[in-house]
């Protein structure tokens, strides 16, 4: 996830200080990816260094307000117009865990898969409940939240299907020995 571009996109909407950016990001993404406030300010420092944002001064309450520069607008425009690269997929801790589990003696792979399946099904239920609640409330900002929740639901459903495949393959391998 590009925090850099996300903050630029939010600043494109209006100038904000760090805490406002954090709250707005979490609000627009359904609070599914919480941001550390230190990460927000570190990113703002880098964006300022790169001349993509500038400090507008204070808000009277001790907060430094940032605004986007023309270079920042161009950067965020390019980000929105460029597809997400799949050439170097992010590390998947679960895939790594199972790859190691099937190659190390003494690891109960079926137990590892089952523990993850239970956790994934629980997460799927929580995401589905949150989506149902967001759909029922029909607030104006819920479209962003619904998109984020739908993404999490589809990813979790895919993970559960993949766990089913992993289990089938380990059973098949055990029967072939």
């Amino acid at each position: 996830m590009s925090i850099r571009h996300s903050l630029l996109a939010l600043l494109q909407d209006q100038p904000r200080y760090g805490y406002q950016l954090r709250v707005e990001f979490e609000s627009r993404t359904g609070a599914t990816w919480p941001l550390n406030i230190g990460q927000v300010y570190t990113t703002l420092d880098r964006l300022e260094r790169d001349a993509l944002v500038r400090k507008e001064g204070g808000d009277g309450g001790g907060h430094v307000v940032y605004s986007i520069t023309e270079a920042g607008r161009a950067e965020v425009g390019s980000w929105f117009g460029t597809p997400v690269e799949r050439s170097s997929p992010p590390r998947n801790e679960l895939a790594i865990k199972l790859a190691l589990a099937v190659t190390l003696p003494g690891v109960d792979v079926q137990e590892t898969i089952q523990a993850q399946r239970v956790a994934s099904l629980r997460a799927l239920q929580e995401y589905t409940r949150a989506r149902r609640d967001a759909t029922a409330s029909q607030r104006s900002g819920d479209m962003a939240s619904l998109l984020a929740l739908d993404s999490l639901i589809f990813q979790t459903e895919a993970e559960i299907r993949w766990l089913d495949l992993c289990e089938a393959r380990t059973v098949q391998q055990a029967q072939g020995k």
Side-chain angles (χ1 to χ4, degrees), residues 30 32 118-134 149-150 152-153 156 160:
T32 52
V118 168
S120 298
L121 286 169
R122 188 175 308 118
L124 181 59
Q125 290 169 342
E126 290 170 13
Y127 298 147
T128 304
R129 188 176 310 111
R131 180 177 61 182
R132 186 178 54 244
D133 294 347
L149 287 166
D150 285 340
L152 291 170
I153 288 167
T156 307
I160 292 166

Side-chain angles (χ1 to χ4, degrees), residues 11-105:
L11 288 171
Q12 187 171 267
D13 187 33
Q14 73 181 49
R16 292 183 166 91
Y17 56 85
Y19 184 75
Q20 289 174 319
L21 286 165
R22 176 182 171 220
V23 168
E24 196 62 28
F25 175 86
E26 291 179 1
S27 170
R28 292 188 191 209
T29 60
T32 52
W33 298 285
L35 284 181
N36 177 299
I37 193 65
Q39 184 179 21
V40 171
Y41 281 108
T42 300
T43 303
L44 284 169
D45 287 342
R46 289 187 196 125
L47 289 170
E48 183 183 24
R49 177 200 67 202
D50 297 342
L52 300 174
V53 302
R54 66 176 157 269
K55 291 179 182 170
E56 290 292 323
D59 68 345
H63 304 109
V64 176
V65 177
Y66 293 84
S67 65
I68 193 167
T69 64
E70 284 307 312
R73 287 183 190 283
E75 176 85 13
V76 77
S78 176
W79 178 61
F80 279 126
T82 305
V84 174
E85 288 289 324
R86 300 282 183 217
S87 60
S88 59
R91 286 191 184 125
N92 180 325
E93 183 178 351
L94 178 56
I96 293 168
K97 180 189 284 190
L98 290 180
L100 292 172
V102 299
T103 61
L104 293 172

